Amino acid sequence: MQKGSTTARIYGRIKEIGHDEVYIVGDFLDLGEYHAVRKALLRLEETGKIQKIMRGVYYYPRYSELIGEYEAPSPNRVAETLARKFGWTIAPCGDTALNQLGLSTQVPAKWSYISDGPYHEFRIGTVTIEFKHRSNREVSGLSRKTAAVIQALKVIGKENVTEKHLNIIKRQLSDGEKACALKEAQQATIWVYGMIKRICELSEK
C-alpha cells in the first residue's frame, strides 16, 4: 500500500475513526473518485484489513480475545449505513425502539425500522434487519430520537405506559432532544403527544 495512495488514505481514516463505524463508497468520495474508492475498499477487504458485510458495505472489525474471533458489526450501525446508502430516513420501531431507549434489555430477534423507503429485509449472518415503509408523516422531518420515542410509546400502548417508562425515556434524552421532541411530536397521535409533554415536565422536577 503506497503512502499517499487512495487506499492508504482511506485506511488511515478508517483506523482513525475506529472499529464502531460501518462504511460505504460514498463516505470516501472526498478522497477519490467513485471507481477508485470502490477498488480501494475491495483491496482493503482482500488484504484482510476490513471486512465486507454485504455488497458495497464494509466494517473495520475488532478482534475479541474473549471469544477468539472478530466481533460482528452493530446491527444498528449497519441499518444507519444502509439508510445512508439508499437515501432513506429511518427510525427504530417495535422491540428495537424499546431496546435503544432502555425500555427493554432483550436483544431484538429482528432489528426493525420504519422508513420512507420501500419495504426491505437484509440478512447478515444470524441477524435480520427489516425496513418497514411508513408514510412520510411518521418518519420524515422527525429527528431519529423523536421518532424512536413515538414508536416506543406506540409499542407499549396508551393504557400500559407507566411513570417508570416515562422516567426511563426521560433519562435517554438531552434537554435539547426533549425540546425537539416536544416540537416535532405535535403531528403525532394526541395521546402520544400528551406522553411526550409529561416526559418533558418530569425533566423539570
Side-chain angles (χ1 to χ4, degrees):
M1 192 190 304
Q2 289 186 334
K3 187 176 181 180
S5 68
T6 300
T7 303
R9 284 183 289 145
I10 288 174
Y11 187 50
R13 178 179 292 178
I14 288 172
K15 287 196 297 181
E16 183 179 346
I17 292 172
H19 294 281
D20 296 326
E21 194 51 83
V22 177
Y23 304 96
I24 55 175
V25 171
D27 295 328
F28 304 102
L29 292 181
D30 60 317
L31 301 179
E33 56 92 23
Y34 179 87
H35 292 292
V37 171
R38 181 173 170 274
K39 287 180 180 178
L41 290 170
L42 289 171
R43 196 172 297 120
L44 289 170
E45 186 218 344
E46 288 168 0
T47 56
K49 291 183 170 61
I50 63 174
Q51 289 187 15
K52 182 166 67 175
I53 298 171
M54 62 181 69
R55 184 176 179 180
V57 183
Y58 303 87
Y59 81 114
Y60 180 36
R62 178 188 285 108
Y63 187 79
S64 171
E65 298 289 348
L66 182 64
I67 61 176
E69 59 185 48
Y70 288 104
E71 296 177 3
S74 157
N76 188 57
R77 286 297 178 97
V78 175
E80 290 174 346
T81 303
L82 288 171
R84 195 165 70 247
K85 177 180 173 70
F86 297 117
W88 301 338
T89 300
I90 66 169
C93 63
D95 291 340
T96 305
L98 297 180
N99 177 270
Q100 290 190 14
L101 288 171
L103 294 162
S104 170
T105 56
Q106 186 174 349
V107 178
K110 178 182 287 188
W111 292 73
S112 299
Y113 300 80
I114 57 170
S115 164
D116 57 2
Y119 179 88
H120 220 302
E121 196 170 281
F122 297 89
R123 184 83 175 171
I124 304 165
T126 60
V127 174
T128 299
I129 299 174
E130 174 188 47
F131 296 97
K132 302 176 181 180
H133 177 74
R134 290 292 184 272
S135 66
N136 287 350
R137 185 168 178 249
E138 283 195 61
V139 62
S140 299
L142 298 178
S143 66
R144 186 78 55 85
K145 192 60 74 73
T146 297
V149 170
I150 291 172
Q151 293 301 315
L153 290 170
K154 286 182 176 181
V155 174
I156 298 167
K158 180 180 179 180
E159 304 304 324
N160 299 316
V161 176
T162 65
E163 202 81 352
K164 181 179 179 182
H165 290 132
L166 300 181
N167 272 294
I168 291 172
I169 294 173
K170 177 197 74 174
R171 291 195 292 270
Q172 298 293 323
L173 304 177
S174 67
D175 288 343
E177 287 169 337
K178 292 185 191 102
C180 185
L182 193 59
K183 180 180 179 181
E184 293 178 340
Q186 290 180 30
Q187 63 179 308
T189 307
I190 293 174
W191 76 264
V192 170
Y193 181 61
M195 293 295 177
I196 290 176
K197 284 180 69 176
R198 285 178 61 191
I199 289 168
C200 294
E201 289 165 1
L202 285 170
S203 68
E204 296 169 3
K205 293 181 181 179

